[in-house]
Amino acid sequence: MQNIRDRIELRFSNFGYIVNRRPWLFILGSLLVVASLVSQLPHIIVDTSAEGLLHKKNPALVTYESFRQQFGRDTMAIAAIDSGNVFNAAFLRKLQEFHSALEEEVPFLDEVTSLVNADHIYGESDDLIVEDLLESLPENEAEMKDLKSRVLSNPLYRNVLVSGDGSFTVVIIKPLLLSPAGKDLSSNTSSQKLSEKEVTAFVDSIRKVISRFHSPDFPIHLGGDTTVEEVLKGMTVSTMMRFTGYTTLVIIIIFAFLFRRISGVLIPLVVVNFALYSTLGLMAAFRVPITLNTTILPSFLLAVGIGDSVHILAIYYRHLRKHGNRSEAISFALGHSGLAVLMTSLTTAGGLLSFVTSGIEPVTNLGIFAAIGVMLALGFTLVTLPALLSVTPQKKQKPYTDDTSLSKLDNMLAAIGDFATRYPWRVVIVSCCLFLGALLLALQLRFTHNSLIYLKKDVPVRVATELIDDKMNGSIGVEFLIDTGKPYGLYEPEVMKKIEEAQHLAEEMVIEGRKVGRASAVADIIKEINQALHGGKIDEYRIPGDRELIAQELLLYEVGGGENLEKFIDREYRRARISVIVPWVDAVAYNHVLYDFEQKMRGLFAGHATVTLTGMAAIIMRTLASIIRSMSESYLIAGCVISILMILLIGNVRLGLCSMGPNFFPIVLGLGLMKLTGIPLDYSTIMVGGIAIGLAVDDTVHFMHNFRRYHDKCGDAREAVRRTLTTSGRAMLFTTIILAAGFFILLFAELKSTFNFGLITGFTICMALVADFLLAPAMMVLLTKKD
């Protein structure tokens, strides 16, 4: 194994001479690669939609797509108007104007639903009349009282379009499912979904209309899942652009301090940006969107990629100052650190690739393209960086002496190593106590997910959504698809009565102490029709007991002008939907409640119809609930892969396995910190482990690589630790500073999820360095005593 490592290091060293002889050839090759990938950047897309979380072949998503083709979107924007009293003439006139403006001015609009155009069903002789509720406004106080009484007593309106006390109303604004731009003129149909730009135009136009109508007596709050997604998308793009710039600025400052050369700042920036933009170009080429998860990718790749350059440049500049020969310095730097940089890149990529087994597509994509980015950064560091060093004029500096500031830093690092090797048992025992304490805290973490709380409390869309939840008991929909299995199966009175019973059961659900909102279905329309045809008698608000009568009433509804049947049933009268409005709370809590309710539904419809839980909200709830299992598997895979790589690097199974201790130690501390600070283990923070284990192992690789080299030479563990920390220690310290700074910058992000991710990952990386400076030396002293 020793001979193999020596041969690899020799080849890295020889490669340095090759690059130095033909630098422009390697620079030109790098530019061609980058240019070809960057040319794809105009095709980059952003997707923060809920359905973007799922793999396209996910069976639940396939079912959901079929549902949407039949019934349209189940996501929406909701304009909530908190007037204090809906039932006054001035308010209703303004509501009509607002409703009309939305219909006329909002592009990519499917429908607007409010009290203005809600169905008003009544009988006249033997005819059934269906007209808009506010076809004509009340002309006096008596008519207004009658309208209020009819609205608040009707389940079609109460807690659907207006609050039970009549103080609050909503306007539901649904976008098209398919884009007009993708329409096939021969068939007048489209297969192209509404694009992100079209959804943005849809929401922006609603905001413009609202800005004209908003006033103290007509206060409008815009919420709903479509609006939340649009706000998250805007913050996603903003976060990525700003924090890429912030990370670049931190890198410039640190490299200027570390190397005190213009080339020491510009060259690594060029190299790491080659990797970053090549990675983004690959994502664009494969039409992989930027998501909430991948917003961290630019900052991550800048911080991680620059670490490779630090280890090469630290050795290069030190050798150059001592010997003055550029070609030899390049060769020596690649020979000294090339293998370690290769191994750190492989371990980081291995940790990231563990995300591939996730059931969440953005997490999978983050793992794949972050790993590709890490390997691209490695390639450009080993090829482009030495080529640029070869052609860049180098300012001569004074030869390195022990009086420089860097020597003082070396002495400090040596003192840390001496402390760890002088008191190894104390270091190990304290570390074990911290590990066990953090582990006990970490075991108390429970997985949760609520994307609304990613937004700050004063963000308007969060304020609006929470207001709607409070007033209407919900702002998002969960769908149950009832399939009778035969055409006109919905005409059966028994099926209709079971749909009615299912609605009542649904409205009894309580999630996190909160009742759900209204459950809507075709049974509501049937009962409304039956009551209207019987002169409005209260006891006739029921499902008819005769199949032919149900069929006749539905026909009369359509003939009378009713247009809402298609929202609840298909054209064959075979399938129906039950839509349940639910508040925006923890998705995992929903998963348990909805699972139990689905089982009740299946028992209720047994022998009559099949029941399928669908709708994007329900799918995401179930998908997120399964993350823990898949991510646990991912971490196990990452741990195994990285352990094998460490054994291969060190050449000793026992030392290789024990070296993983300093890598798992900071991750457990990070999880313990999450419990102490109240940070949830959610969709974003659960990724910290996979990313952190790949990053934490980098410094361990450099430490073990150099410890093994010096221990083989001198045979003394304490001396080997001292030499390791005085040669590679500085690079380990500064790469950690860069990495931690790259993540700590995320503390200034608008999204709370990004803040949490940056805090825990940055903390974990810092603890990894502490473990490599104290725990790793202590363990090596104890373990090598027996050798």
Side-chain angles (χ1 to χ4, degrees):
M1 183 65 73
Q2 176 67 42
N3 291 334
I4 294 175
R5 288 196 300 269
D6 290 343
R7 286 199 297 269
I8 293 173
E9 290 175 353
L10 179 61
R11 290 183 179 179
F12 273 114
S13 180
N14 291 336
F15 180 71
Y17 284 116
I18 294 173
V19 173
N20 188 68
R21 285 198 297 268
R22 296 181 178 84
W24 288 108
L25 177 64
F26 289 97
I27 292 172
L28 179 61
S30 300
L31 287 172
L32 289 174
V33 171
V34 174
S36 64
L37 293 174
V38 169
S39 66
Q40 298 296 315
L41 283 179
H43 303 297
I44 199 77
I45 54 178
V46 178
D47 182 9
T48 57
S49 67
E51 64 187 281
L53 295 175
L54 302 176
H55 290 287
K56 298 300 179 286
K57 294 183 180 179
N58 186 301
L61 186 57
V62 173
T63 300
Y64 174 62
E65 287 298 333
S66 175
F67 169 86
R68 290 208 305 183
Q69 291 293 333
Q70 176 64 52
F71 297 108
R73 281 184 182 263
D74 62 323
T75 55
M76 67 199 83
I78 303 175
I81 309 162
D82 190 11
S83 68
N85 181 21
V86 170
F87 298 99
N88 71 76
F91 177 87
L92 293 179
R93 275 195 297 272
K94 195 164 185 179
L95 180 64
Q96 282 184 324
E97 294 170 3
F98 178 56
H99 183 109
S100 297
L102 290 170
E103 289 185 325
E104 293 169 4
E105 300 176 31
V106 175
F108 313 111
L109 176 69
D110 183 14
E111 64 176 357
V112 178
T113 304
S114 72
L115 287 175
V116 172
N117 65 341
D119 277 354
H120 176 211
I121 305 172
Y122 62 95
E124 197 171 87
S125 299
D126 293 330
D127 295 326
L128 186 73
I129 308 299
V130 184
E131 62 183 20
D132 290 345
L133 179 64
L134 298 183
E135 186 81 23
S136 58
L137 291 178
E139 297 181 355
N140 52 55
E141 190 66 24
E143 289 184 1
M144 185 65 74
K145 286 183 178 180
D146 177 64
L147 174 66
K148 181 176 181 178
S149 176
R150 282 190 288 115
V151 168
L152 296 184
S153 64
N154 193 322
L156 289 174
Y157 314 137
R158 189 182 66 252
N159 292 329
V160 177
L161 297 175
V162 63
S163 61
D165 61 2
S167 66
F168 184 90
T169 188
V170 297
V171 180
I172 298 170
I173 313 152
K174 287 191 177 184
L176 292 168
L177 174 62
L178 302 175
S179 171
K183 185 171 288 187
D184 182 350
L185 296 179
S186 62
S187 62
N188 201 37
T189 60
S190 174
S191 59
Q192 180 178 311
K193 292 181 182 178
L194 214 61
S195 70
E196 290 291 318
K197 288 184 179 179
E198 290 169 334
V199 173
T200 299
F202 169 81
V203 175
D204 286 346
S205 297
I206 295 173
R207 290 195 181 106
K208 288 179 181 178
V209 175
I210 287 175
S211 68
R212 294 206 318 271
F213 284 86
H214 180 81
S215 64
D217 62 336
F218 201 83
I220 309 173
H221 306 270
L222 184 60
D225 40 13
T226 297
T227 313
V228 172
E229 286 178 7
E230 183 58 27
V231 170
L232 288 174
K233 181 180 73 175
M235 289 186 174
T236 296
V237 175
S238 172
T239 296
M240 186 175 69
M241 294 178 65
R242 286 190 296 115
F243 289 103
T244 299
Y246 293 162
T247 305
T248 300
L249 180 61
V250 168
I251 290 171
I252 290 173
I253 294 171
I254 293 175
F255 270 62
F257 172 77
L258 179 60
F259 298 122
R260 295 179 173 83
R261 296 171 180 259
I262 294 177
S263 62
V265 174
L266 295 182
I267 290 177
L269 275 179
V270 169
V271 168
V272 76
N273 276 283
F274 275 9
L276 170 60
Y277 288 101
S278 295
T279 304
L280 293 176
L282 277 173
M283 292 180 67
F286 286 97
R287 301 300 186 266
V288 174
I290 298 292
T291 64
L292 287 174
N293 296 91
T294 49
T295 52
I296 66 168
L297 187 59
S299 296
F300 173 79
L301 287 181
L302 285 174
V304 173
I306 213 73
D308 294 341
S309 297
V310 170
H311 286 281
I312 299 294
L313 290 175
I315 301 301
Y316 167 78
Y317 283 126
R318 167 174 281 212
H319 193 280
L320 185 65
R321 292 178 69 180
K322 283 186 175 180
H323 304 284
N325 188 300
R326 184 187 313 202
S327 178
E328 288 183 2
I330 291 173
S331 175
F332 180 80
L334 289 182
H336 182 278
S337 298
L339 177 58
V341 167
L342 171 63
M343 295 301 291
T344 58
S345 297
L346 289 175
T347 53
T348 301
L352 292 165
L353 286 174
S354 65
F355 293 154
V356 172
T357 60
S358 165
I360 306 297
E361 189 161 43
V363 176
T364 299
N365 290 335
L366 175 65
I368 293 172
F369 285 93
I372 290 173
V374 168
M375 298 313 293
L376 284 171
L378 170 69
F380 287 124
T381 300
L382 295 178
V383 174
T384 314
L385 185 142
L388 290 173
L389 289 174
S390 296
V391 301
T392 303
Q394 300 288 336
K395 179 182 176 181
K396 291 186 178 181
Q397 294 185 338
K398 294 180 180 179
Y400 179 80
T401 67
D402 289 340
D403 296 327
T404 65
S405 59
L406 289 179
S407 177
K408 294 177 183 178
L409 179 60
D410 289 343
N411 290 333
M412 182 189 76
L413 295 174
I416 293 172
D418 289 343
F419 173 83
T421 55
R422 189 178 300 117
Y423 307 107
W425 279 112
R426 295 182 187 181
V427 171
V428 170
I429 290 172
V430 170
S431 298
C432 287
C433 291
L434 288 173
F435 180 88
L436 292 174
L439 183 62
L440 289 174
L441 289 171
L443 292 174
Q444 298 176 49
L445 288 171
R446 294 293 179 267
F447 186 72
T448 181
H449 179 79
N450 184 349
S451 59
L452 190 65
I453 64 172
Y454 291 169
L455 303 172
K456 293 179 180 178
K457 291 183 178 181
D458 59 350
V459 173
V461 71
R462 177 174 176 180
V463 172
T465 302
E466 290 178 342
L467 178 64
I468 297 167
D469 281 350
D470 180 58
K471 296 287 188 177
M472 310 292 282
N473 291 333
S475 58
I476 55 177
V478 172
E479 305 288 344
F480 290 92
L481 185 61
I482 312 300
D483 190 346
T484 63
K486 58 184 178 181
Y488 307 105
L490 294 174
Y491 286 165
E492 296 294 337
E494 189 68 21
V495 173
M496 279 293 178
K497 289 177 180 179
K498 289 186 179 297
I499 290 176
E500 180 186 28
E501 186 178 347
Q503 288 179 258
H504 295 321
L505 287 173
E507 291 170 359
E508 292 174 1
M509 283 193 293
V510 176
I511 304 171
E512 289 194 335
R514 303 186 63 174
K515 287 194 66 174
V516 304
R518 181 81 171 91
S520 303
V522 68
D524 294 324
I525 296 176
I526 291 288
K527 290 186 288 184
E528 189 77 10
I529 295 169
N530 196 67
Q531 184 181 35
L533 291 174
H534 288 82
K537 295 178 181 178
I538 295 177
D539 59 352
E540 291 297 333
Y541 187 77
R542 61 182 178 80
I543 302 292
D546 182 75
R547 172 188 171 90
E548 296 303 322
L549 189 54
I550 290 177
Q552 183 181 3
E553 289 186 352
L554 290 175
L555 178 60
L556 285 172
Y557 173 82
E558 293 186 282
V559 172
E563 298 177 350
N564 285 329
L565 275 184
E566 64 182 18
K567 296 180 182 179
F568 296 106
I569 61 177
D570 66 357
R571 294 178 181 178
E572 293 185 330
Y573 294 86
R574 166 183 167 172
R575 298 194 300 173
R577 69 189 285 195
I578 301 175
S579 299
V580 186
I581 299 299
V582 298
W584 202 315
V585 294
D586 182 13
V588 177
Y590 266 122
N591 183 62
H592 301 308
V593 174
L594 290 176
Y595 176 80
D596 292 339
F597 181 71
E598 186 180 17
Q599 300 310 307
K600 290 181 182 179
M601 290 272 282
R602 288 177 175 172
L604 177 65
F605 284 93
H608 297 278
T610 59
V611 178
T612 304
L613 174 61
T614 189
M616 184 47 61
I619 291 174
I620 297 308
M621 290 168 197
R622 291 200 160 176
T623 303
L624 290 170
S626 68
I627 287 182
I628 296 178
R629 177 185 54 80
S630 62
M631 294 304 284
S632 298
E633 294 173 355
S634 299
Y635 294 157
L636 181 60
I637 293 170
C640 292
V641 170
I642 292 173
S643 296
I644 292 171
L645 290 172
M646 290 297 293
I647 292 170
L648 291 175
L649 174 67
I650 298 171
N652 184 296
V653 174
R654 179 164 56 91
L655 291 181
L657 291 175
C658 290
S659 70
M660 293 303 293
N663 298 318
F664 291 119
F665 174 76
I667 294 173
V668 174
L669 287 185
L671 293 173
L673 179 66
M674 286 176 59
K675 180 62 180 177
L676 285 176
T677 55
I679 293 176
L681 182 64
D682 61 11
Y683 173 54
S684 59
T685 54
I686 200 169
M687 296 188 301
V688 169
I691 291 176
I693 194 172
L695 296 177
V697 79
D698 288 1
D699 284 341
T700 305
V701 167
H702 284 285
F703 176 85
M704 297 304 299
H705 174 71
N706 287 283
F707 174 82
R708 183 265 312 163
R709 170 189 286 144
Y710 294 123
H711 188 264
D712 289 343
K713 290 180 178 178
C714 68
D716 181 74
R718 293 187 63 183
E719 180 61 23
V721 167
R722 171 179 276 269
R723 292 187 187 181
T724 297
L725 294 183
T726 53
T727 54
S728 294
R730 284 176 291 121
M732 292 165 62
L733 174 63
F734 281 100
T735 54
T736 297
I737 291 173
I738 293 170
L739 278 171
F743 286 104
F744 282 141
I745 281 175
L746 299 179
L747 299 182
F748 298 98
E750 295 176 281
L751 291 174
K752 193 172 182 181
S753 58
T754 307
F755 174 96
N756 292 341
F757 180 84
L759 174 63
I760 299 304
T761 308
F763 171 80
T764 303
I765 290 168
C766 290
M767 292 302 99
L769 182 69
V770 172
D772 286 320
F773 278 178
L774 290 172
L775 181 58
M779 291 178 64
M780 289 304 103
V781 167
L782 295 175
L783 291 169
T784 53
K785 283 182 178 180
K786 300 177 182 179
D787 292 339

